[in-house]
Amino acid sequence: ATRYHSGWERHWRSPTPKKKYDAIIVGAGGHGLATAWHLGKHYGITNVAIIEKGWLGGGNTGRNTTIIRSNYLQDPSAAIYEKSRSLYETMSQDLNYNVMFSPRGVIMLAQTHHEVRGYQRTAHANALQGVTTEWITPARVKELCPIMNIEGPRYPVLGGLWQARGGTARHDAVAWGYARACSDMGMDIIQQCEVTNVRTEGGKVVGVDTTKGAIDCDKLGMVVAGHASHLADMAGFRLPMESVALQALVSEPIKPCMDIVVMANTVHGYLSQSDKGEMVIGGGTDGFNNYTQRGSFHHVEETVRALNETFPILSRLKMLRQWGGIVDVTGDRSPILSKTPIEGVFVNCGWGTGGFKAIPGSGFAMAELMAKGASPLTDEFSMYRFREGKFIDESVAAGVAH
Ligand SMILES: Cc1cc2nc3c(=O)[nH]c(=O)nc-3n(C[C@H](O)[C@H](O)[C@H](O)COP(=O)(O)OP(=O)(O)OC[C@H]3O[C@@H](n4cnc5c(N)ncnc54)[C@H](O)[C@@H]3O)c2cc1C
Ligand SMILES: CSCC(=O)[O-]
């Protein structure tokens, strides 16, 4: 039976789960919804359920600071993040939903000589990878962001890695756009339905148990970010990742003063200005594993205090609100897109503090992996790389202090 509620449900159905689906995606965040949409769009697999324990987009996808860029160092990273950035360019048309992609440009500030060398190396790597970035001087940084104090006593700005086609998008709209498109394909998005167990027979997945009863499937995609270890545990395997809180805050709205995104990773802060005028500010992760979605105030103080030298304007502002999410961090700060020890079970997690920018590319790649059993974009991101020592180290490009 299909029930339509008022409000957003006019965009997608709230169906009763069927007994069986060809594929179940656990997690109606951006990555899960994008995976389902690409399964339908490219492989005609539409007998799909996306199962969500809360409300769609209520996890990290609805809680992030929306920075989009592809200026990573390693070749596998450049491939999937640039695929993703390029899909953001056409997402509003592809989904027929305005996700407000704004290629306003992103600077990764260099405030130590170590960062100068690191970002110049990345600029050279990006040139070889076909990712358009450039190393810019302090004067150019100031020209792009006049409110910035580039002569701070502790951390002067020594230059930056500039990606002109990086930027932001409206995070809720990304989730809503994919959800409506999946629903229009006949897929079932089942919210307020928690997966409590993964059922297998002879080493192969046969379905899940949920708070709305048992649902059978031939293929299962685990796309639950900070809860990935819990889902893996239900299926009897472990994942090399940790779950920690990452938080962000917004200031009171002010007149337009900044039209690019800046990441100051030495001081563990990054910021942009929303269309509503708020300064959107983020910092490093909490230094301990936890599943809270709120963070701790001392982290907020630390972040803003650290940014004040480079952005004195912040010292005059009031905080409007603060929140947190549970990010899934791997040892090399790269994602896991992988088969698992259970036949028919696939996992997509480990995006840590930087997976919003990867949503369309991840969905494209994960759908290929689930439909065809392999994907050039996921080959290097296997969960087994940690056993084989084939790390994809992105601790610099990941930016935010882990
Ligand atoms: C404060 C903050 C700032 C960030 N800033 C940026 C940024 O600027 N740029 C960037 O690229 N990335 C950023 N990120 C990271 C980015 O938000 C995430 O990597 C990305 O949104 C993860 O998407 P997802 O779909 O994998 O996970 P989520 O959106 O978290 O979705 C996973 C879903 O799975 C559901 N779930 C969990 N367990 C179960 C279960 N048992 N049964 C059913 N459902 C379940 C959850 O309820 C959740 O809705 C930030 C994250 C945070 C928290
Ligand atoms: C939260 S950090 C944002 C990013 O990775 O671009």
Side-chain angles (χ1 to χ4, degrees), residues 6-44:
S6 62
W8 291 114
E9 272 71 10
R10 279 197 301 277
H11 288 296
W12 49 80
R13 294 168 295 112
S14 290
T16 305
K18 295 189 293 196
K19 180 80 185 81
K20 181 174 181 187
Y21 295 89
D22 295 339
I24 287 177
I25 302 291
V26 186
H31 287 259
L33 291 162
T35 298
W37 183 73
H38 282 285
L39 279 173
K41 178 173 167 63
H42 298 298
Y43 306 101

Short mmCIF file of all heavy atoms in Angstrom, two decimals, residues 6-44:
data_model
loop_
_atom_site.label_atom_id
_atom_site.label_comp_id
_atom_site.label_asym_id
_atom_site.label_seq_id
_atom_site.Cartn_x
_atom_site.Cartn_y
_atom_site.Cartn_z
N SER A 6 1.56 14.65 3.77
CA SER A 6 1.68 16.04 3.28
C SER A 6 3.18 16.33 3.18
O SER A 6 4.01 15.48 3.44
CB SER A 6 1.06 16.98 4.33
OG SER A 6 1.83 16.84 5.51
N GLY A 7 3.50 17.52 2.80
CA GLY A 7 4.91 17.94 2.80
C GLY A 7 5.74 17.15 1.81
O GLY A 7 5.31 16.87 0.70
N TRP A 8 6.94 16.79 2.27
CA TRP A 8 7.93 16.25 1.35
C TRP A 8 7.47 14.94 0.74
O TRP A 8 7.91 14.56 -0.33
CB TRP A 8 9.28 16.08 2.04
CG TRP A 8 9.86 17.43 2.34
CD1 TRP A 8 10.09 17.99 3.54
CD2 TRP A 8 10.22 18.41 1.37
NE1 TRP A 8 10.57 19.26 3.40
CE2 TRP A 8 10.67 19.55 2.07
CE3 TRP A 8 10.22 18.46 -0.02
CZ2 TRP A 8 11.11 20.70 1.44
CZ3 TRP A 8 10.65 19.61 -0.66
CH2 TRP A 8 11.09 20.71 0.06
N GLU A 9 6.60 14.20 1.46
CA GLU A 9 6.23 12.90 0.90
C GLU A 9 5.56 13.07 -0.45
O GLU A 9 5.41 12.14 -1.20
CB GLU A 9 5.29 12.15 1.86
CG GLU A 9 6.02 11.31 2.89
CD GLU A 9 6.72 12.16 3.94
OE1 GLU A 9 6.48 13.37 3.98
OE2 GLU A 9 7.52 11.59 4.70
N ARG A 10 5.11 14.32 -0.81
CA ARG A 10 4.54 14.49 -2.15
C ARG A 10 5.62 14.20 -3.20
O ARG A 10 5.37 13.91 -4.34
CB ARG A 10 4.01 15.91 -2.33
CG ARG A 10 2.63 16.10 -1.71
CD ARG A 10 1.96 17.36 -2.26
NE ARG A 10 2.78 18.54 -1.98
CZ ARG A 10 2.77 19.20 -0.81
NH1 ARG A 10 2.01 18.75 0.18
NH2 ARG A 10 3.52 20.26 -0.61
N HIS A 11 6.92 14.29 -2.75
CA HIS A 11 8.01 14.08 -3.71
C HIS A 11 8.38 12.62 -3.80
O HIS A 11 8.96 12.17 -4.77
CB HIS A 11 9.25 14.87 -3.28
CG HIS A 11 9.09 16.35 -3.47
ND1 HIS A 11 8.93 16.92 -4.71
CD2 HIS A 11 9.06 17.37 -2.59
CE1 HIS A 11 8.82 18.24 -4.58
NE2 HIS A 11 8.91 18.53 -3.30
N TRP A 12 8.16 11.84 -2.70
CA TRP A 12 8.48 10.43 -2.76
C TRP A 12 7.47 9.67 -1.92
O TRP A 12 6.86 10.22 -1.00
CB TRP A 12 9.90 10.14 -2.28
CG TRP A 12 10.21 10.81 -0.97
CD1 TRP A 12 9.86 10.39 0.27
CD2 TRP A 12 10.91 12.06 -0.79
NE1 TRP A 12 10.29 11.30 1.22
CE2 TRP A 12 10.93 12.31 0.60
CE3 TRP A 12 11.51 12.96 -1.66
CZ2 TRP A 12 11.55 13.44 1.14
CZ3 TRP A 12 12.11 14.10 -1.13
CH2 TRP A 12 12.13 14.33 0.24
N ARG A 13 7.26 8.40 -2.28
CA ARG A 13 6.26 7.59 -1.61
C ARG A 13 6.80 7.10 -0.27
O ARG A 13 8.01 7.09 -0.05
CB ARG A 13 5.93 6.37 -2.50
CG ARG A 13 5.25 6.78 -3.81
CD ARG A 13 5.21 5.61 -4.78
NE ARG A 13 6.57 5.21 -5.19
CZ ARG A 13 7.13 4.06 -4.83
NH1 ARG A 13 6.50 3.21 -4.07
NH2 ARG A 13 8.36 3.78 -5.23
N SER A 14 5.94 6.71 0.63
CA SER A 14 6.34 6.07 1.89
C SER A 14 5.68 4.70 1.93
O SER A 14 4.69 4.48 2.63
CB SER A 14 5.89 6.91 3.10
OG SER A 14 6.66 8.08 3.17
N PRO A 15 6.19 3.77 1.13
CA PRO A 15 5.50 2.48 0.95
C PRO A 15 5.71 1.51 2.11
O PRO A 15 6.65 1.66 2.91
CB PRO A 15 6.17 1.94 -0.31
CG PRO A 15 7.56 2.46 -0.24
CD PRO A 15 7.44 3.83 0.40
N THR A 16 4.84 0.52 2.19
CA THR A 16 5.07 -0.62 3.10
C THR A 16 6.08 -1.54 2.41
O THR A 16 5.97 -1.76 1.20
CB THR A 16 3.74 -1.39 3.29
OG1 THR A 16 2.76 -0.46 3.74
CG2 THR A 16 3.89 -2.50 4.31
N PRO A 17 7.08 -2.03 3.17
CA PRO A 17 8.09 -2.87 2.52
C PRO A 17 7.49 -4.10 1.84
O PRO A 17 6.55 -4.71 2.38
CB PRO A 17 9.00 -3.29 3.68
CG PRO A 17 8.70 -2.39 4.81
CD PRO A 17 7.32 -1.87 4.60
N LYS A 18 8.01 -4.45 0.67
CA LYS A 18 7.61 -5.71 0.03
C LYS A 18 8.34 -6.88 0.71
O LYS A 18 9.25 -6.67 1.51
CB LYS A 18 7.98 -5.68 -1.46
CG LYS A 18 7.20 -4.63 -2.27
CD LYS A 18 7.39 -4.74 -3.78
CE LYS A 18 8.77 -4.42 -4.22
NZ LYS A 18 8.87 -4.15 -5.69
N LYS A 19 7.97 -8.10 0.35
CA LYS A 19 8.63 -9.26 0.96
C LYS A 19 10.07 -9.39 0.46
O LYS A 19 10.96 -9.80 1.19
CB LYS A 19 7.83 -10.54 0.60
CG LYS A 19 8.41 -11.84 1.18
CD LYS A 19 8.02 -12.03 2.65
CE LYS A 19 8.71 -13.27 3.24
NZ LYS A 19 10.13 -12.94 3.63
N LYS A 20 10.27 -9.04 -0.84
CA LYS A 20 11.62 -9.24 -1.40
C LYS A 20 11.94 -8.18 -2.46
O LYS A 20 11.07 -7.70 -3.17
CB LYS A 20 11.73 -10.63 -2.04
CG LYS A 20 13.13 -10.86 -2.59
CD LYS A 20 13.40 -12.24 -3.13
CE LYS A 20 14.85 -12.29 -3.61
NZ LYS A 20 15.21 -13.52 -4.28
N TYR A 21 13.23 -7.82 -2.51
CA TYR A 21 13.75 -6.90 -3.54
C TYR A 21 14.96 -7.53 -4.21
O TYR A 21 15.65 -8.37 -3.60
CB TYR A 21 14.15 -5.57 -2.90
CG TYR A 21 13.00 -4.80 -2.31
CD1 TYR A 21 12.61 -4.99 -0.98
CD2 TYR A 21 12.27 -3.88 -3.06
CE1 TYR A 21 11.54 -4.31 -0.42
CE2 TYR A 21 11.21 -3.18 -2.51
CZ TYR A 21 10.84 -3.39 -1.19
OH TYR A 21 9.78 -2.71 -0.65
N ASP A 22 15.28 -7.12 -5.43
CA ASP A 22 16.53 -7.56 -6.06
C ASP A 22 17.73 -7.03 -5.27
O ASP A 22 18.74 -7.71 -5.09
CB ASP A 22 16.61 -7.05 -7.51
CG ASP A 22 15.52 -7.66 -8.38
OD1 ASP A 22 14.98 -8.74 -7.98
OD2 ASP A 22 15.15 -7.04 -9.40
N ALA A 23 17.59 -5.76 -4.81
CA ALA A 23 18.70 -5.15 -4.06
C ALA A 23 18.15 -4.30 -2.93
O ALA A 23 17.12 -3.63 -3.11
CB ALA A 23 19.58 -4.29 -4.98
N ILE A 24 18.80 -4.34 -1.81
CA ILE A 24 18.50 -3.46 -0.69
C ILE A 24 19.73 -2.59 -0.44
O ILE A 24 20.86 -3.09 -0.42
CB ILE A 24 18.17 -4.26 0.59
CG1 ILE A 24 16.78 -4.91 0.47
CG2 ILE A 24 18.20 -3.35 1.82
CD1 ILE A 24 16.41 -5.78 1.67
N ILE A 25 19.50 -1.29 -0.30
CA ILE A 25 20.55 -0.36 0.12
C ILE A 25 20.19 0.07 1.54
O ILE A 25 19.08 0.56 1.78
CB ILE A 25 20.60 0.89 -0.80
CG1 ILE A 25 20.82 0.48 -2.25
CG2 ILE A 25 21.67 1.87 -0.31
CD1 ILE A 25 22.17 -0.10 -2.58
N VAL A 26 21.10 -0.15 2.47
CA VAL A 26 20.87 0.30 3.85
C VAL A 26 21.51 1.68 3.98
O VAL A 26 22.71 1.84 3.74
CB VAL A 26 21.49 -0.65 4.88
CG1 VAL A 26 21.09 -0.20 6.29
CG2 VAL A 26 21.05 -2.08 4.62
N GLY A 27 20.66 2.68 4.33
CA GLY A 27 21.17 4.04 4.50
C GLY A 27 20.68 4.96 3.40
O GLY A 27 21.13 4.86 2.26
N ALA A 28 19.72 5.85 3.77
CA ALA A 28 19.20 6.81 2.77
C ALA A 28 19.91 8.15 2.96
O ALA A 28 19.30 9.20 3.17
CB ALA A 28 17.70 6.98 2.93
N GLY A 29 21.25 8.07 2.94
CA GLY A 29 22.04 9.29 2.84
C GLY A 29 22.37 9.52 1.38
O GLY A 29 21.89 8.79 0.49
N GLY A 30 23.23 10.51 1.12
CA GLY A 30 23.55 10.81 -0.27
C GLY A 30 24.15 9.62 -1.00
O GLY A 30 23.79 9.32 -2.15
N HIS A 31 25.09 8.92 -0.34
CA HIS A 31 25.76 7.81 -1.04
C HIS A 31 24.80 6.65 -1.32
O HIS A 31 24.84 6.06 -2.39
CB HIS A 31 26.96 7.33 -0.20
CG HIS A 31 28.11 8.28 -0.23
ND1 HIS A 31 29.22 8.10 -1.01
CD2 HIS A 31 28.33 9.45 0.43
CE1 HIS A 31 30.06 9.11 -0.85
NE2 HIS A 31 29.55 9.93 0.03
N GLY A 32 23.91 6.36 -0.35
CA GLY A 32 22.97 5.27 -0.57
C GLY A 32 21.97 5.60 -1.66
O GLY A 32 21.71 4.78 -2.56
N LEU A 33 21.43 6.81 -1.61
CA LEU A 33 20.44 7.23 -2.62
C LEU A 33 21.08 7.31 -4.00
O LEU A 33 20.49 6.87 -5.00
CB LEU A 33 19.84 8.57 -2.21
CG LEU A 33 18.94 8.54 -0.97
CD1 LEU A 33 18.74 9.95 -0.39
CD2 LEU A 33 17.57 7.91 -1.30
N ALA A 34 22.32 7.82 -4.06
CA ALA A 34 22.99 7.92 -5.37
C ALA A 34 23.29 6.54 -5.93
O ALA A 34 23.17 6.30 -7.14
CB ALA A 34 24.28 8.73 -5.22
N THR A 35 23.66 5.60 -5.05
CA THR A 35 23.91 4.23 -5.50
C THR A 35 22.64 3.63 -6.11
O THR A 35 22.66 3.08 -7.21
CB THR A 35 24.39 3.36 -4.32
OG1 THR A 35 25.62 3.87 -3.81
CG2 THR A 35 24.58 1.91 -4.75
N ALA A 36 21.52 3.82 -5.41
CA ALA A 36 20.25 3.27 -5.91
C ALA A 36 19.89 3.90 -7.26
O ALA A 36 19.52 3.21 -8.21
CB ALA A 36 19.15 3.52 -4.88
N TRP A 37 20.03 5.22 -7.35
CA TRP A 37 19.65 5.93 -8.58
C TRP A 37 20.49 5.44 -9.76
O TRP A 37 19.97 5.17 -10.84
CB TRP A 37 19.82 7.43 -8.40
CG TRP A 37 19.36 8.22 -9.60
CD1 TRP A 37 18.07 8.43 -10.00
CD2 TRP A 37 20.20 8.87 -10.56
NE1 TRP A 37 18.06 9.19 -11.16
CE2 TRP A 37 19.35 9.46 -11.53
CE3 TRP A 37 21.59 9.01 -10.70
CZ2 TRP A 37 19.83 10.20 -12.60
CZ3 TRP A 37 22.07 9.76 -11.79
CH2 TRP A 37 21.20 10.33 -12.72
N HIS A 38 21.82 5.25 -9.53
CA HIS A 38 22.68 4.79 -10.63
C HIS A 38 22.38 3.34 -10.98
O HIS A 38 22.49 2.94 -12.13
CB HIS A 38 24.15 4.99 -10.26
CG HIS A 38 24.64 6.40 -10.40
ND1 HIS A 38 24.89 7.00 -11.60
CD2 HIS A 38 24.90 7.34 -9.48
CE1 HIS A 38 25.30 8.25 -11.43
NE2 HIS A 38 25.31 8.48 -10.14
N LEU A 39 21.95 2.53 -9.99
CA LEU A 39 21.54 1.14 -10.30
C LEU A 39 20.37 1.16 -11.29
O LEU A 39 20.35 0.38 -12.25
CB LEU A 39 21.11 0.40 -9.03
CG LEU A 39 22.21 -0.19 -8.14
CD1 LEU A 39 21.60 -0.72 -6.84
CD2 LEU A 39 22.98 -1.31 -8.86
N GLY A 40 19.43 2.06 -11.06
CA GLY A 40 18.28 2.16 -11.95
C GLY A 40 18.65 2.77 -13.28
O GLY A 40 18.31 2.25 -14.35
N LYS A 41 19.40 3.88 -13.23
CA LYS A 41 19.69 4.65 -14.46
C LYS A 41 20.58 3.87 -15.43
O LYS A 41 20.34 3.86 -16.63
CB LYS A 41 20.37 5.97 -14.08
CG LYS A 41 20.78 6.84 -15.27
CD LYS A 41 21.30 8.19 -14.82
CE LYS A 41 22.01 8.94 -15.93
NZ LYS A 41 21.15 9.27 -17.08
N HIS A 42 21.62 3.21 -14.92
CA HIS A 42 22.62 2.58 -15.82
C HIS A 42 22.42 1.09 -16.00
O HIS A 42 22.89 0.52 -16.98
CB HIS A 42 24.03 2.82 -15.29
CG HIS A 42 24.41 4.27 -15.23
ND1 HIS A 42 24.47 5.09 -16.32
CD2 HIS A 42 24.70 5.06 -14.16
CE1 HIS A 42 24.80 6.31 -15.96
NE2 HIS A 42 24.96 6.33 -14.66
N TYR A 43 21.72 0.42 -15.05
CA TYR A 43 21.63 -1.05 -15.11
C TYR A 43 20.19 -1.55 -15.10
O TYR A 43 19.96 -2.76 -15.04
CB TYR A 43 22.46 -1.68 -13.97
CG TYR A 43 23.89 -1.17 -13.97
CD1 TYR A 43 24.29 -0.17 -13.07
CD2 TYR A 43 24.80 -1.60 -14.93
CE1 TYR A 43 25.58 0.35 -13.13
CE2 TYR A 43 26.09 -1.09 -14.99
CZ TYR A 43 26.47 -0.11 -14.09
OH TYR A 43 27.75 0.41 -14.15
N GLY A 44 19.23 -0.64 -15.06
CA GLY A 44 17.83 -1.05 -15.11
C GLY A 44 17.39 -1.82 -13.89
O GLY A 44 16.36 -2.52 -13.91
#
